[in-house]
């Protein structure tokens, strides 16, 4: 590939008390790839994502996005630059209906930086609604448009959150275990959706435990253990790597 | 078929802003008529209904939409009143400049208070606002006496300059009264002026509720962190909501002074802030009409229930035998007169415990139950087609 790096994590150190959650971690995500990050529980996968979206500030080291350093920026500023994240537990607006849930991120495009402009508001309203409807249809949620989001099943909540991220057309999409806790059928549906997005060429980082998902989607895989990347390569290379089996899979055959 | 069609169309119609506003205006402006049976059709209490209505509508924009519980809104009410009275003293007895100035002044105060308080959320926000309001209250009582006239309260005096009025006419005998281009603003005309103002600001709040600005505020209430990770800088939105509701409170304060030109520090005390919270929650927080309902209930209790005495009770229960009459009177007298706070407290507890959505939710539930009961009954008698029954049109 050799295309340019979208996300460049350099020497990031993040400690919680005495624990080094991220230990001088280096990671490069290339444009247009689907990059999976796997690793045992507590390896620092979610911490890594938290650092990327500005939820946590690293003790040392930098995160570069699109050639600019984003460490130290507020979460909304980072989001404005084009990073979207699907959380491990769905973070949606439980009290609002599905259409509203998707309309809000679509509005962020227009005025995430606050402007109090009613005229602009009206002009974009239909456009925003149309964009939201389109994504909702893609996610097969169209028949529940005016249902309260909080009352949906977990699988649907995850799909809704994915819709909320996709409507923003981010340059980089971070997915934190998009299929965890889903029924088999839901998982398959999600994989289908993710494959469809992959075709659009959006750069994605996926944290995942389900190896089926990893090997069916990822272009590259990084293995994280104790806060550092211990191996990186194509899914095939990772599958055959001895270090990985040792650290993560406990030597079991997959 | 036709019935169903009509029903759906009625629902659509009731969602139309214009229809809502027409019905609302008629209901508000005919208050002197339909309040008659309740014994509340005199200008003083009617003015209170609409003026505190403005206060509660504004409070609901902050608390109802964003979920930020401010304990300091009475400060804006007080600032509005003081500003209005000063405008009467220095400029003119016309209420228009007074009201405009009180809205601007409370807006400035709201910017200052919101800028500091909105750095925190939840209980810390509430405490910061409470501290700010109590500070204003104590300042008004002590240090700022030259401006607020301390304990006595700010009043009009014959020697006031009233610069603009003097341009047109000489000072008359006695104290002048507040006017709107010659119309006196006390009594019924005061009520109608305030009612028109309330209808206008209600329309604004309706617009805010339905705009994407309102949608964003609701989203902040639901999940503020998600808003941040979606790229929203939430604080300016919160500050705007805070300032708007502060200006509503200032407007209410200005109107209070316009109908009765004096301002005292007790208007800023925390109990006054507590009252508007009570009104909003009692009526139904986050709903359009709930807070207004809360205002009517609380102001009604405050003015009517507190005025009932033993004699009234005796005449009310006079149809019973004497021993029962006496027993009933002694029980009831706990809840009226001085004891009206107890009635209100019990009502508030019942509402919060069993109807978190407020009295409005209670009314909606009763309406739903009634309609399903009626349609069931009709179905039993066999007159209607089966399709009609049990149809639940959602909210």
């Amino acid at each position: 590939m050799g295309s340019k790096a979208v996300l460049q994590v350099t020497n990031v150190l993040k400690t919680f008390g005495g624990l080094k959650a991220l230990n001088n971690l280096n990671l490069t995500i290339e444009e247009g790839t689907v990059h999976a990050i796997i690793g045992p529980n507590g390896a620092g996968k979610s911490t890594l994502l938290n650092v990327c979206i500005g939820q946590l500030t690293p003790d040392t080291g930098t995160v570069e996005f699109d050639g600019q350093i984003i460490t130290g920026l507020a979460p909304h500023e980072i989001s404005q630059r084009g990073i979207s994240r699907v959380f491990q537990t769905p973070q949606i607006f439980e009290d609002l209906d599905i259409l509203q849930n998707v309309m809000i991120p679509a509005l962020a495009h227009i005025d995430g930086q606050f402007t109090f402009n009613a005229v602009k508001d009206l002009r974009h309203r239909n456009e925003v609604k149309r964009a939201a409807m389109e994504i909702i249809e893609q996610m097969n949620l169209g028949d529940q448009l005016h249902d309260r989001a909080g009352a949906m099943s977990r699988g649907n909540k995850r799909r809704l959150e994915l819709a909320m991220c996709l409507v923003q057309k981010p340059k980089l999409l971070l997915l934190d275990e998009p299929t965890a806790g889903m029924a088999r059928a839901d998982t398959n549906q999600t994989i289908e959706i993710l494959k469809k997005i992959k075709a659009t060429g959006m750069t994605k980082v996926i944290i995942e435990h389900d190896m089926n998902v990893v090997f069916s989607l990822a272009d590259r895989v990084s293995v994280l253990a104790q806060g550092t990347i211990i191996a990186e390569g194509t899914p095939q290379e990772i599958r055959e790597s001895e270090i990985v089996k040792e650290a993560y899979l406990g030597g079991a055959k997959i | 078929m036709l019935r169903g069609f009509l029903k759906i169309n009625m629902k659509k119609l009731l969602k139309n802003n214009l229809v809502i506003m027409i019905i609302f205006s008629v209901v508000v402006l005919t208050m002197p008529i339909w309040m008659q049976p309740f014994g509340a059709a005199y200008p003083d209490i009617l003015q209170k209904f609409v003026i505190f209505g403005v206060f509660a509508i504004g409070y609901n924009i902050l608390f109802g939409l964003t979920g930020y519980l401010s304990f300091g809104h009475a400060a804006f009410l007080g600032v509005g009143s003081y500003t209005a009275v000063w405008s009467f003293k220095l400029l003119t007895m016309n209420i228009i400049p007074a009201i405009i100035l009180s809205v601007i002044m409370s807006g400035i105060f709201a910017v200052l208070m919101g800028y500091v308080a909105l750095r925190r959320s939840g209980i810390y926000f509430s405490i910061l606002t409470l501290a700010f309001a109590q500070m204003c209250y104590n300042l008004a009582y002590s240090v700022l006496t030259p401006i607020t006239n301390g304990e006595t309260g700010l009043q009009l005096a014959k020697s006031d300059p009233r610069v603009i009025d003097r341009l047109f006419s000489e000072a008359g005998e006695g104290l002048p009264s507040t006017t709107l281009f010659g119309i006196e603003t006390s009594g019924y005309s005061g009520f109608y002026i305030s009612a028109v103002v309330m209808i206008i600001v209600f329309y604004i709040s309706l617009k805010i509720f339905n705009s994407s600005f309102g949608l964003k505020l609701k989203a902040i209430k639901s999940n503020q962190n998600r808003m941040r990770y979606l790229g929203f800088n939430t604080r300016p939105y919160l500050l705007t909501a805070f300032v708007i509701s502060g200006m509503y409170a200032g407007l209410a304060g200005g109107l209070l002074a316009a109908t009765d030109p004096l301002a005292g520090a007790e208007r800023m005390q925390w109990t006054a802030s507590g009252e508007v919270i009570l009104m909003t929650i009692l009526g139904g927080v986050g709903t359009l009409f709930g807070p207004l309902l809360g205002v009517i209930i609380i102001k009604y209790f405050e003015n009517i229930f507190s005025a009932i005495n033993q004699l009234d009770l005796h005449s009310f229960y006079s149809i019973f035998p004497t021993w029962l009459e006496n027993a009933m009177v002694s029980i009831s007298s706990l809840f009226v007169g001085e004891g009206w706070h107890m009635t209100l407290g019990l009502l508030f507890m019942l509402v919060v415990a069993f109807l978190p959505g407020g009295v409005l939710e209670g009314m909606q539930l009763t309406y739903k139950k009634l309609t399903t009961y009626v349609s069931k009954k009709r179905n039993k008698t066999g007159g209607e087609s089966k399709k009609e029954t049990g149809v639940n049109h959602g909210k």
Side-chain angles (χ1 to χ4, degrees), chain B residues 285-297:
Chain B
V285 88
T287 58
L288 276 168
F289 297 102
L292 294 171
L293 213 61
V295 168
I296 291 183
I297 294 169

Side-chain angles (χ1 to χ4, degrees), chain B residues 75-190:
Chain B
F76 306 131
L77 192 76
V79 167
S81 286
Y82 281 123
T83 313
V85 175
W86 271 113
S87 158
F88 295 141
K89 283 167 89 71
L90 297 179
L91 300 173
T92 166
M93 289 306 286
N94 195 320
I95 61 168
I96 300 275
I99 284 173
I100 291 172
L101 284 173
S102 52
V103 170
I104 293 171
M105 202 62 184
S106 54
I108 294 169
F109 268 72
V111 170
L112 295 175
M113 179 161 159
Y115 186 77
V116 178
L118 284 168
R119 302 194 160 258
R120 292 281 168 270
S121 61
I123 188 77
Y124 301 102
F125 169 79
S126 303
I127 289 174
L128 280 170
T129 50
L130 177 65
F132 189 90
Q134 282 302 89
M135 188 178 80
C136 289
Y137 165 68
N138 283 315
L139 285 178
Y141 239 117
S142 54
V143 191
L144 295 179
T145 307
I147 301 174
T148 62
N149 205 14
E151 236 174 297
T152 338
L154 193 61
Q155 288 165 345
L156 299 180
K158 216 173 159 267
S159 55
D160 292 333
R162 274 184 271 283
V163 191
I164 298 176
D165 282 359
R166 287 299 81 78
L167 291 177
F168 301 103
S169 65
E170 282 299 304
E173 286 294 309
L175 277 179
S177 48
T178 51
T179 62
L180 176 70
F181 303 114
I183 311 165
E184 290 225 358
T185 57
S186 51
Y188 274 112
S189 54

Side-chain angles (χ1 to χ4, degrees), chain A residues 55 80 85 111 121 161 168, chain B residues 212 226 229-231 237:
Chain A
Q55 192 175 358
Q80 287 274 324
R85 176 180 178 183
D111 54 1
D121 207 83
E161 195 184 17
Q168 298 198 304
Chain B
S212 30
R226 212 342 156 201
Y229 297 129
L230 286 175
Y237 288 98

Side-chain angles (χ1 to χ4, degrees), chain B residues 374-390:
Chain B
V374 168
S375 63
K376 251 185 203 161
K377 206 167 181 190
R378 189 183 290 137
N379 204 38
K380 265 187 191 161
T381 53
E384 287 286 322
S385 69
K386 269 205 168 166
K387 270 182 190 169
E388 284 281 318
T389 55

